[in-house]
């Protein structure tokens, strides 16, 4: 979604760029369900008013493209941090020792995990559906599903989303003690905070609903882990996260090898984004084609309205509408990532994956834990085998593509030497990627004539799959996003 420039020369930020709060301050965050869009707003809970605007969803102030460094008045007091700066509250900063001298940034491949990022994406989840006589089902559907609408023990929820991730400072050296011949290692890490909102708008078929709904909150830590003696010299990265549904994850993956011939250390060229199949399958059989329940869940067909799905009517989103939620996208959400980078000039890509793993894996660390409500009844009580999970988050795999993108930026004419101004690039017409902002400084000769220049920037794309186990099946819960830095990326003209 590209930005606009007004006749007065101001850049209007697109709706899909939002600014994370620098502090962990949740007074504007209120988790809710998209069911409200169907049933109408419920009574306000005690302690909350109607939906408050989250500090993590404020739109970045549109920069003035004509502003010059010399024209900015000095602050009357201490300068406030720029939007999206990953600072911490005083108490938290004291706890983790960040009031001391700045520490080095994260190591490869996490070097770009600094400051704050924001953008847009897509979320798909088959959630369990209560349908017993005493249940209070929360998903009253406006179109009554028929006899041929598929199993009624689930409901498919589709969200067009905005997303923000703030990264804190590094935590220093974290010692892990070895044993016998296994030497000690020192980890390095940094905290992060991720928030996601639903902006699905049936009136337009796009991610531009004026009333956002907070649907995800995730604090966590990223780690760089040196290799153990049995890892064949391969370092790894770890993502540890806590999700308020009652699930924690510990996911690990081998770090890619840095390419010394590229700027970022990634490989030359764009990302290799594969296919994700969201069709539910028999538990434990993800690779068996016969285990996939193809053709059973009509909710995966965009044209079928009488189904267990939110939203049921996808006409404005579908193939003959905006194309934001089609049958193909429902079956393979990674198409959203490919659509975002249409016609973008991506010259380098760092790729890595973290997973909760399996005991037989080469990298056998990690796992998920769930509260009892999600685990369901255990029989016998001392057994770890679940015979009736409500929504057991059994595993998680997340893939990351950190991309170096070459953007085209138009610099105005008649600019003196060493003039600094904020500009947004011209985005390809068919790209749905968020639009970054650059802090451009003219060279010693200034910029006498209007000029188009090529400016490098960073973009992060993610694809995550959580397998939820219930009713003898594994149900893929897939979230994808494309993010750019919130703060202006600097560029010096020559």
């Amino acid at each position: 979604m590209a930005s606009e420039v007004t006749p007065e020369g101001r850049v209007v930020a697109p709706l899909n760029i939002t600014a994370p709060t620098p502090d962990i301050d949740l007074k504007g965050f209120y988790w809710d369900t998209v069911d409200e869009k169907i049933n109408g707003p419920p009574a306000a809970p005690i302690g909350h008013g109607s939906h408050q605007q989250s500090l993590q969803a404020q739109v970045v102030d549109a920069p003035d493209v004509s502003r010059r460094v010399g024209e900015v008045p000095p602050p009357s007091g201490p300068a406030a941090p720029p939007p999206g700066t990953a600072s911490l509250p005083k108490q938290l900063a004291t706890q983790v020792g960040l009031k001391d001298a700045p520490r080095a940034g994260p190591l490869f491949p996490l070097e770009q995990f600094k400051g704050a990022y924001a953008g847009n994406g897509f979320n798909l989840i088959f959630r369990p559906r209560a349908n017993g006589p005493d249940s209070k089902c929360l998903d009253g559907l406006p179109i009554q599903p028929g006899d041929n609408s598929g199993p009624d023990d689930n409901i498919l929820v589709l969200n067009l989303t905005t997303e923000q991730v703030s990264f804190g400072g590094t935590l220093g050296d974290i010692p892990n003690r070895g044993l016998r011949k296994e030497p000690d290692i020192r980890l390095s890490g940094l905290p992060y905070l991720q928030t996601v909102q639903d902006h699905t708008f049936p009136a337009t078929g796009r991610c531009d609903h004026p009333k956002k709904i907070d649907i995800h909150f995730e604090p966590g830590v990223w780690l760089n882990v040196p290799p153990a003696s049995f890892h064949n010299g391969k370092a790894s990265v770890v993502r540890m996260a806590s999700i308020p549904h009652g699930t924690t994850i510990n996911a690990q993956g081998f770090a890619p090898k840095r390419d010394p011939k590229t700027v970022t250390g990634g490989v030359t060229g764009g990302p290799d984004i594969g296919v994700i199949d969201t069709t539910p399958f028999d538990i434990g059989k993800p690779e068996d084609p016969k285990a996939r329940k193809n053709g059973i869940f009509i909710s995966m067909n965009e044209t079928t309205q009488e189904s267990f799905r939110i939203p049921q009517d996808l006409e404005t989103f579908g193939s003959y509408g905006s194309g934001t939620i089609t049958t193909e996208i429902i079956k393979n959400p990674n198409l959203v990532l490919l659509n975002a980078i249409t016609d973008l000039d991506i010259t380098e890509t760092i790729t890595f994956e973290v997973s909760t793993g399996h005991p037989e894996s080469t990298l056998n660390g990690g796992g998920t834990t769930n509260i009892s409500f999600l685990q369901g009844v255990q029989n016998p009580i001392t057994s770890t085998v679940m015979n009736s999970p409500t929504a057991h988050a059994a595993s998680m795999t997340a893939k990351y593509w950190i991309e170096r993108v070459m953007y085209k930026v138009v610099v105005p004419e008649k600019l003196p030497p060493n003039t600094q101004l904020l500009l947004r690039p011209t985005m390809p017409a068919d790209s749905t990627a968020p639009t970054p902002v650059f802090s451009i400084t003219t060279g010693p000769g200034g910029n006498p004539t209007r000029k188009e220049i090529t400016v490098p920037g960073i973009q992060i794309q993610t694809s995550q799959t959580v397998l939820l186990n219930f009713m003898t099946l594994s149900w893929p819960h897939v979230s994808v996003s494309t993010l750019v830095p919130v703060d202006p990326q600097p560029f010096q003209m020559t």
Side-chain angles (χ1 to χ4, degrees):
M1 183 183 296
S3 359
E4 298 179 2
V5 178
T6 68
E8 296 77 26
R10 292 183 62 83
V11 177
V12 180
L15 288 177
N16 59 12
I17 292 290
T18 51
T21 172
D23 296 341
I24 302 179
D25 184 347
L26 301 182
K27 62 184 179 183
F29 184 94
Y30 177 49
W31 197 312
D32 207 347
T33 169
V34 294
D35 297 338
E36 177 182 324
K37 292 182 178 179
I38 294 175
N39 300 326
I46 297 175
H48 294 280
S50 59
H51 287 279
Q52 303 171 48
Q53 184 177 14
S54 168
L55 291 178
Q56 292 236 1
Q58 294 175 353
V59 177
V60 172
D61 291 335
D64 188 342
V65 298
S66 62
R67 179 179 293 171
R68 301 176 185 177
V69 173
E71 297 171 351
V72 179
S76 56
T85 299
S87 59
L88 294 170
K90 291 181 180 179
Q91 178 182 351
L92 184 56
T94 300
Q95 284 179 291
V96 298
L98 297 182
K99 64 179 182 178
D100 303 324
R103 294 185 172 94
L107 304 176
F108 184 84
L110 307 180
E111 291 170 323
Q112 303 301 332
F113 285 11
K114 296 178 289 188
Y117 286 76
N120 52 35
F122 176 69
N123 179 70
L124 174 151
I125 180 172
F126 290 93
R127 73 185 190 197
R129 182 173 181 269
N131 55 11
D134 297 326
S135 66
K136 296 180 180 179
C137 188
L138 301 177
D139 57 50
L141 300 171
I143 304 174
Q144 184 64 34
D147 295 336
N148 298 319
S149 297
D152 65 355
D153 53 18
N154 73 95
I155 187 163
L156 175 61
V157 180
L158 308 170
N159 310 101
L160 297 177
T161 60
T162 55
E163 179 175 327
Q164 308 80 37
V165 181
S166 297
F167 297 102
T170 53
L171 301 176
D173 292 332
I174 306 166
N176 270 14
R177 306 305 181 184
L179 176 65
R180 296 185 183 273
K181 294 183 179 181
E182 188 65 38
D184 296 351
I185 62 173
R186 288 186 178 272
L187 291 63
S188 62
L190 67 154
Y192 74 90
L193 175 63
Q194 178 194 31
T195 51
V196 181
Q197 303 81 32
D198 171 86
H199 280 277
T200 312
F201 198 12
T204 63
R206 298 186 181 278
C207 182
D208 55 6
H209 201 292
K211 186 177 183 180
K212 61 91 181 176
I213 298 176
D214 296 307
I215 62 172
H216 187 75
F217 169 82
E218 178 184 314
V221 173
W222 276 99
L223 295 174
N224 287 105
V225 182
S229 62
F230 48 87
H231 287 154
N232 299 319
K234 294 182 179 179
S236 60
V237 291
V238 171
R239 177 177 141 217
M240 300 184 295
S242 180
I243 296 91
H245 286 296
T247 299
T248 60
I249 64 167
N250 192 332
Q252 189 170 10
F254 284 122
K257 186 177 181 181
R258 176 191 287 274
D259 186 339
K261 293 181 275 189
T262 62
V263 175
T264 62
V267 299
T268 302
D272 181 10
I273 300 176
V275 175
I276 287 182
D277 188 350
T278 59
T279 308
F281 57 89
D282 293 330
I283 292 176
K285 299 180 179 180
E287 306 300 331
D288 184 358
K290 295 181 180 179
R292 294 275 174 179
K293 305 305 177 184
N294 293 302
I296 294 180
F297 300 98
I298 66 171
S299 57
M300 299 180 72
N301 187 328
E302 65 177 283
T303 62
T304 306
Q305 296 186 16
E306 296 179 358
S307 64
F308 295 98
R309 181 178 68 209
I310 298 176
Q312 288 180 294
D313 186 354
L314 294 178
E315 183 176 0
T316 57
F317 303 97
S319 302
Y320 296 100
S322 64
T324 53
I325 306 178
T326 64
T327 300
E328 291 74 21
I329 286 175
I330 294 173
K331 293 181 176 180
N332 175 25
N334 277 358
L335 288 174
V336 174
L337 299 179
L338 293 173
N339 292 341
I341 60 176
T342 299
D343 295 329
L344 282 183
D345 183 11
I346 301 175
T347 59
E348 299 175 15
T349 305
I350 301 170
T351 304
F352 61 90
E353 179 179 284
V354 293
S355 173
T356 51
H358 303 282
E360 66 273 14
S361 302
T362 304
L363 193 63
N364 62 354
T368 65
T369 55
N370 299 268
I371 61 173
S372 178
F373 178 85
L374 300 177
Q375 297 264 124
V377 178
Q378 293 177 328
N379 187 22
I381 193 64
T382 57
S383 172
T384 59
V385 178
M386 292 162 289
N387 63 1
S388 183
T390 305
H392 173 229
S395 66
M396 188 281 291
T397 299
K399 198 157 189 176
Y400 295 82
W401 298 271
I402 303 175
E403 302 153 353
R404 188 171 191 250
V405 185
M406 308 305 289
Y407 296 96
K408 298 295 184 182
V409 178
V410 176
V411 182
E413 61 182 357
K414 300 179 181 179
L415 295 178
N418 302 316
T419 299
Q420 186 179 17
L421 64 165
L422 301 177
L423 296 173
R424 294 188 185 272
T426 302
M427 298 295 286
D430 295 329
S431 172
T432 58
T435 310
V437 61
F438 293 96
S439 176
I440 308 292
T441 302
T442 59
N447 191 64
T449 60
R450 187 174 184 271
K451 180 189 301 183
E452 182 182 74
I453 61 175
T454 300
V455 180
I458 294 296
Q459 178 174 272
I460 298 177
Q461 293 194 285
T462 69
S463 177
Q464 173 176 293
T465 300
V466 176
L467 293 183
L468 298 177
N469 288 352
F470 59 92
M471 296 304 294
T472 74
L473 298 180
S474 286
W475 308 74
H477 167 23
V478 179
S479 305
V480 300
S481 64
T482 302
L483 310 173
V484 296
V486 171
D487 291 334
Q489 300 176 73
F491 182 78
Q492 175 67 57
M493 297 177 64
T494 56

